[in-house]
Amino acid sequence: MTDITNQSLNEIIENVKTKKVSSTELTKAYIKNIESAKKLNVFVTTTFDQALDKAKQFDKKPNFDQLLPGIPLAVKDLFCTENTKTTAGSNILNNFIPSYESTVTKNLWDNGSFLLGKLNCDEFAMGSSNETSHYGNVINPVGDQLVPGGSSGGSSSALAADLTPATIGTDTGGSIRQPASFTGTVGLKPTYGLCSRWGIVAFASSLDQAGPMTKTIKDCAIMLESMSGFDEKDSTSINKKKEQYSKNLKDNIKGLKIGIPKEYRVDNMPKEIDELWEKGKKILKNLGAQLIDISLPHTKYALPTYYIVAPAEASSNLARYDGVRYGYRSKQGKDLIEMYEKTRSEGFGDEVKRRILIGTYVLSSGYYDAYYLKAQKVRQLIKKDFDDSFKKIDAILTPSTPSSAFKIGEKTNDPVSMYLNDIFTVPVNLAGLPALSLPAGVDKQSYPLGLQLIGKALDEQKILNIGYAFEKNCGFKNEIKKWWS
Amino acid sequence: MSLDKEKIKHVAKLARISVDDAKVESLTKDLNSIFKFIEQLNELNTDKVEPLTSILNQSLRSRKDEISDGKIREKILKNSPKENEEFFVVPKVVE
């Protein structure tokens, strides 16, 4: 049969259900791909033996009524997996083996899938290029000098290189959508509270949200359905009925009102991004949607707000890494305080330290009002911009990123230029809204580019439907040559 | 405002991260450029704006204060860099 690993998750599930392929054959095919893709540096840990055991168990007693029957999945190394090392891309967790399973991964396994391995990511999900990982850069399968985006860069690369049929990432300021855009794949950041944060290594708790990364919209709906749901263990989890996103997927978007925010046309934006946006508008218009010009006046303040709120929360969340109860401990330090200071200095990388210092400073006595309180107020204004707009529209269309994938090392010396990558994705996290990045075209170097659909809170079905209709009419095909194997 | 080296050393102390003198220079430069970016917020008048403290239109749930697990000392100590089977071990604190 043809190479099963370049099919969509939905096609693979159909093939498993109709017994054209067994779970064991499927798992072996992915293991083979992974073993020949070491150059991409995508995996921190692989769990092949365990995966093959699970596949054999499935084949012996298959249950085809599950959402993910016998499907092997690799996940971002930010999700705690019971008895499998979880590093968060950091040296400080280089030996951490959780004794519990994150709710989101448990939901995936309960739907019939099993773990194939843990995917590289920026350290504590702080980065936009996967260059802050302690375990080295991930390479984008699109080109051997290109970053895969970040922080879920291992996830996006693994997916685009056919090393997993689908995957999950986390998105605090764009960490699912930006890497999806850089690799020509689909990425969804759900509404804050839709997927449980329990068992995910915390970065910024009021912004963090797990979501699917897939090859198609249908796959995205299947994954979201599998991973989401109320969880008592997350105090911000939303208690609502489970949706059947994949079953309810519709491609009729006639009459829907799509907002086009003028503030997303930024200075020095490459012409290609603008052209892509125009192409997207045209497709939606031809499908019967109505385009409406809107204004989100505080958009330019979203990134500065984010760089107060996220580091502040991170400095508090990362205070737990002290070398006492788990993780790395420095051998230096003559007393307890010095042991803490050396452990954290040797355990954290430069970007993480920078953010902890920013966060500590903005929360410190005398500066709290000027920075943190100010940011919370501006966050209110950003949220209000969206609330006002959504009174008259169904969804918002914007570019996902201001550029295509850039070269490794290109932005590492200038933190602010790196941060600017997330200019279109960050506002959504601050407002807690769902947003989808869709592959929509390529630039003149043939690097993929994405468009973003932003929805109202808990309106995932609608943006998935728009994405579904868009996908059928966009004509984008991700053509990646397997140069690495 | 600008951050000087002394201020950065002080913040690093608060954050319990030791910083080499050699690194303070580049850290000062990076943090100042980040703060310059952040301080764009000062263009906005927010005197009459309520700070956003929760993104959800619901208050945090509380649960009954009941023990839901226990007797997992081994599990908890399993990942510790140093322990003596019953306790986490740290450098001597009291003389």
Side-chain angles (χ1 to χ4, degrees):
Chain A
M1 94 182 273
T2 52
D3 181 9
I4 186 139
T5 61
N6 62 27
Q7 298 180 352
S8 72
L9 173 67
N10 184 48
E11 288 166 328
I12 292 170
I13 292 170
E14 283 310 309
N15 280 317
V16 172
K17 282 185 174 176
T18 53
K19 300 193 177 170
K20 289 200 180 77
V21 67
S22 70
S23 176
T24 307
E25 285 165 343
L26 184 65
T27 305
K28 282 183 177 163
Y30 280 107
I31 292 174
K32 193 171 157 239
N33 284 7
I34 293 164
E35 283 180 333
S36 65
K38 296 215 167 93
K39 270 185 205 157
L40 301 178
N41 194 30
V42 160
F43 281 83
V44 177
T45 306
T46 54
T47 54
F48 295 158
D49 291 345
Q50 188 192 316
L52 284 168
D53 277 351
K54 296 263 183 194
K56 275 178 204 149
Q57 275 174 36
F58 178 86
D59 289 333
K60 228 181 256 172
K61 230 180 133 186
N63 174 359
F64 297 118
D65 297 330
Q66 296 167 299
L67 277 167
L68 301 167
I71 304 296
L73 292 174
V75 304
K76 185 178 186 178
D77 205 13
L78 207 70
F79 295 91
C80 286
T81 42
E82 193 172 357
N83 298 326
T84 298
K85 190 170 78 166
T86 300
T87 69
S90 183
N91 185 31
I92 214 158
L93 286 175
N94 68 14
N95 54 7
F96 177 59
I97 300 173
S99 56
Y100 49 86
E101 186 78 32
S102 84
T103 299
V104 159
T105 47
K106 182 173 184 299
N107 289 346
L108 294 178
W109 316 147
D110 287 350
N111 279 300
S113 65
F114 47 84
L115 183 68
L116 195 52
K118 305 296 292 288
L119 299 166
N120 205 340
C121 58
D122 278 300
E123 185 179 6
F124 287 102
M126 297 179 192
S128 306
S129 64
N130 221 114
E131 289 165 291
T132 73
S133 169
H134 176 69
Y135 304 94
N137 300 342
V138 169
I139 310 293
N140 188 336
V142 169
D144 67 354
Q145 296 298 315
L146 295 178
V147 304
S151 66
S152 312
S155 300
S156 65
S157 274
L159 180 65
D162 299 333
L163 310 182
T164 181
T167 184
I168 55 173
T170 59
D171 190 315
T172 305
S175 282
I176 286 175
R177 291 160 288 156
Q178 185 251 20
S181 177
F182 280 12
T183 52
T185 55
V186 174
L188 172 70
K189 194 226 58 106
T191 305
Y192 182 78
L194 190 68
C195 295
S196 170
R197 288 183 294 107
W198 195 82
I200 303 174
V201 176
F203 162 13
S205 303
S206 80
L207 303 160
D208 294 346
Q209 185 59 205
M213 300 173 76
T214 57
K215 289 179 182 170
T216 69
I217 294 289
K218 177 102 186 178
D219 292 359
C220 187
I222 296 170
M223 287 294 283
L224 182 64
E225 208 172 310
S226 308
M227 68 193 287
S228 60
F230 174 66
D231 180 16
E232 225 173 35
K233 289 186 279 197
D234 173 358
S235 60
T236 58
S237 173
I238 298 173
N239 194 351
K240 65 182 271 289
K241 206 177 116 251
K242 253 186 105 88
E243 306 267 348
Q244 293 186 298
Y245 300 106
S246 54
K247 200 175 142 201
N248 295 332
L249 209 52
K250 287 184 194 75
D251 60 1
N252 183 356
I253 61 163
K254 217 167 246 162
L256 287 188
K257 295 184 175 116
I258 310 291
I260 308 295
K262 63 172 190 232
E263 290 80 6
Y264 280 62
R265 181 165 286 114
V266 295
D267 295 344
N268 307 321
M269 188 159 86
K271 210 172 116 227
E272 290 153 316
I273 304 282
D274 221 13
E275 286 166 3
L276 183 86
W277 201 7
E278 288 305 316
K279 176 184 158 188
K281 289 182 211 171
K282 213 169 137 192
I283 292 172
L284 295 182
K285 206 172 165 191
N286 288 342
L287 287 165
Q290 191 187 341
L291 303 180
I292 296 176
D293 288 323
I294 60 164
S295 173
L296 300 165
H298 297 92
T299 299
K300 82 174 256 214
Y301 300 107
L303 258 187
T305 302
Y306 177 85
Y307 275 96
I308 294 173
V309 174
E313 294 183 16
S315 75
S316 165
N317 273 329
L318 272 60
R320 72 189 69 174
Y321 302 103
D322 57 5
V324 173
R325 289 147 304 150
Y326 49 84
Y328 173 83
R329 179 189 289 194
S330 172
K331 294 198 173 52
Q332 299 181 60
K334 57 183 185 307
D335 57 22
L336 186 63
I337 300 291
E338 233 186 80
M339 188 278 280
Y340 291 152
E341 290 178 343
K342 295 284 181 196
T343 292
R344 290 164 65 78
S345 179
E346 293 162 21
F348 293 135
D350 287 345
E351 181 60 24
V352 172
K353 284 184 208 168
R354 268 200 288 273
R355 296 206 197 182
I356 292 175
L357 295 183
I358 296 167
T360 305
Y361 181 65
V362 300
L363 291 175
S364 65
S365 164
Y367 297 97
Y368 180 90
D369 285 4
Y371 292 108
Y372 190 68
L373 194 67
K374 179 85 185 180
Q376 281 185 310
K377 288 178 169 189
V378 182
R379 188 172 179 184
Q380 186 79 272
L381 296 172
I382 291 162
K383 181 171 183 291
K384 192 173 174 298
D385 283 354
F386 281 110
D387 289 347
D388 291 347
S389 286
F390 274 123
K391 282 178 190 147
K392 45 186 192 276
I393 54 166
D394 294 291
I396 297 171
L397 180 76
T398 77
S400 296
T401 55
S403 76
S404 61
F406 46 89
K407 293 210 158 41
I408 291 165
E410 195 179 312
K411 294 179 196 245
T412 37
N413 292 327
D414 180 0
V416 173
S417 89
M418 186 68 92
Y419 297 170
L420 286 169
N421 258 290
D422 297 332
I423 190 160
F424 299 144
T425 47
V426 149
V428 164
N429 298 77
L430 290 168
L433 302 172
L436 184 64
S437 180
L438 297 159
V442 292
D443 67 2
K444 57 176 179 292
Q445 306 167 92
S446 298
Y447 300 164
L449 295 168
L451 287 172
Q452 174 176 240
L453 278 166
I454 306 170
K456 290 178 205 175
L458 297 175
D459 220 2
E460 276 80 3
Q461 187 72 57
K462 197 178 280 165
I463 54 173
L464 285 168
N465 288 352
I466 301 169
Y468 195 46
F470 181 91
E471 181 181 68
K472 285 186 177 174
N473 289 277
C474 168
F476 173 83
K477 200 169 175 303
N478 206 6
E479 282 169 42
I480 292 178
K481 289 188 200 80
K482 297 198 172 170
W483 52 267
W484 57 86
S485 59
Chain B
M1 73 147 280
S2 76
L3 285 158
D4 58 28
K5 289 182 200 168
E6 284 314 304
K7 187 102 216 164
I8 284 174
K9 282 186 189 164
H10 173 66
V11 175
K13 194 86 202 161
L14 291 176
R16 297 277 186 261
I17 294 177
S18 74
V19 182
D20 296 344
D21 283 339
K23 278 228 162 155
V24 175
E25 190 90 30
S26 68
L27 207 48
T28 309
K29 185 179 141 266
D30 287 344
L31 291 189
N32 272 305
S33 86
I34 294 166
F35 273 93
K36 195 174 150 227
F37 178 71
I38 287 174
E39 283 165 6
Q40 286 180 69
L41 295 188
N42 295 336
E43 295 166 14
L44 282 173
N45 183 333
T46 51
D47 290 350
K48 290 188 180 132
V49 183
E50 279 295 308
L52 186 149
T53 50
S54 164
I55 204 72
L56 299 164
N57 294 322
Q58 63 180 45
S59 51
L60 293 182
R61 279 186 319 279
S62 54
R63 62 163 175 84
K64 281 199 183 126
D65 187 16
E66 286 172 344
I67 296 169
S68 57
D69 58 9
K71 299 200 169 70
I72 51 169
R73 182 162 66 195
E74 250 173 65
K75 262 189 174 182
I76 288 170
L77 286 171
K78 201 184 78 181
N79 275 294
S80 62
K82 207 172 175 192
E83 33 92 0
N84 70 354
E85 291 176 6
E86 284 184 68
F87 300 100
F88 297 109
V89 175
V90 296
K92 200 164 166 186
V93 182
V94 186
E95 285 301 329

